[in-house]
Every structure is written in C-alpha cells, then in structure tokens.
Amino acid sequence: MISSNKLIAAISLAVVGGFVAEFAKPQMPEGSNPGYMTLISAAVGLCVGWRIMGPRAGRDSSIGLGMLGVVSLVFWGLAVFGTIEMLRLAMRRRFDEPVEALEMIVTIALKYGQYLAATPVYITLAVGIVISGYVTNFAYRRWG
C-alpha cells in the first residue's frame, strides 16, 4: 500500500544513496570502472526507504529513524555491490567452489566499504540521517 511516509523515505534515501556513490567514486582505484554505481545505490536507497524506513515512521525519533535508514542503506548497498562483483568474477570462472564465491562477497563488500572512508561521504551520511529522518516523520505526521 502506498503511503506518504514510505514514498518520502524512499525518495530521500535514494537521493542519499546517489550522493554517497558520487562521493565514493573518487576514492576508488585509478582506472576502475564504477559503471552504474550511482543508479544501483539510488535503487538500493529506494528499496530500503520503502521497506525498512517508511513503515517505522512515527514510532522512532527523527534521528533514530534516519540512523536506521542510512545504516541499512550502507549495509545493503555493500551487500549488493559485493554480490554484483562476485557474480562478475564467477562468470569469468575465478572460483573453484561455490563456498569460495560466497565468502568473496564479504571480502568484496569490505573492500567497497573502504571507499566510504572519506570526509565527503561521512558528511553526506550525517546530513542524510538528519534530513531523511525528519522529512519521513514529517510526512507521517502531516499526511499519514
């Protein structure tokens, strides 16, 4: 069911995910191809906002709600990018066993997590916590 708080949470986390991806790209190694990193991050933000953050609007404080959304965005974003990169490597037959491929998801996700260790990314995440939590709770109080 469509609700204003789900829609606002999805849009706000999609914007945060897109900005975080744009600020993380310069941290990547020289010559790497980020591909659709911004669009994938925005799509993950859309899903996390709709499924996790939106239904909890009105129950938590704005900061708590924003923290839940942004931490979930980072976790699921790293999981998605780890899975995508693992599948790319698996198609090139880089793994001998399926368990090795599944273990590589965590390794790749941690490597991508290092790209988030930059001041612009931290600032974007902090601002995203405040704004996304506030506008989602505002939408819940106003139209929910």
Side-chain angles (χ1 to χ4, degrees):
M1 182 76 185
I2 295 177
S3 64
S4 61
N5 46 316
K6 286 183 179 180
L7 183 63
I8 295 297
I11 292 170
S12 65
L13 280 186
V15 169
V16 171
F19 276 118
V20 166
E22 284 299 316
F23 289 132
K25 284 180 184 178
Q27 308 305 318
M28 296 178 75
E30 193 71 31
S32 62
N33 181 13
Y36 296 109
M37 186 177 202
T38 304
L39 292 176
I40 293 170
S41 295
V44 170
L46 201 69
C47 294
V48 166
W50 188 271
R51 299 289 297 173
I52 295 175
M53 194 172 160
R56 288 176 177 76
R59 295 187 214 163
D60 296 335
S61 67
S62 295
I63 299 296
L65 185 64
M67 181 74 77
L68 171 73
V70 169
V71 168
S72 300
L73 169 68
V74 170
F75 173 79
W76 287 110
L78 291 175
V80 166
F81 285 114
T83 304
I84 290 170
E85 185 67 18
M86 181 275 299
L87 290 173
R88 187 183 69 78
L89 293 173
M91 290 297 141
R92 293 182 178 175
R93 300 186 187 272
R94 302 289 169 115
F95 306 115
D96 295 329
E97 298 177 11
V99 175
E100 183 184 357
L102 292 176
E103 290 172 351
M104 190 57 71
I105 292 175
V106 176
T107 304
I108 295 169
L110 290 174
K111 181 180 76 173
Y112 271 84
Q114 291 175 348
Y115 303 147
L116 299 178
T119 303
V121 174
Y122 291 147
I123 292 171
T124 304
L125 291 174
V127 169
I129 286 171
V130 173
I131 292 176
S132 65
Y134 178 76
V135 297
T136 302
N137 271 339
F138 177 79
Y140 176 77
R141 286 190 309 270
R142 176 80 177 181
W143 300 296

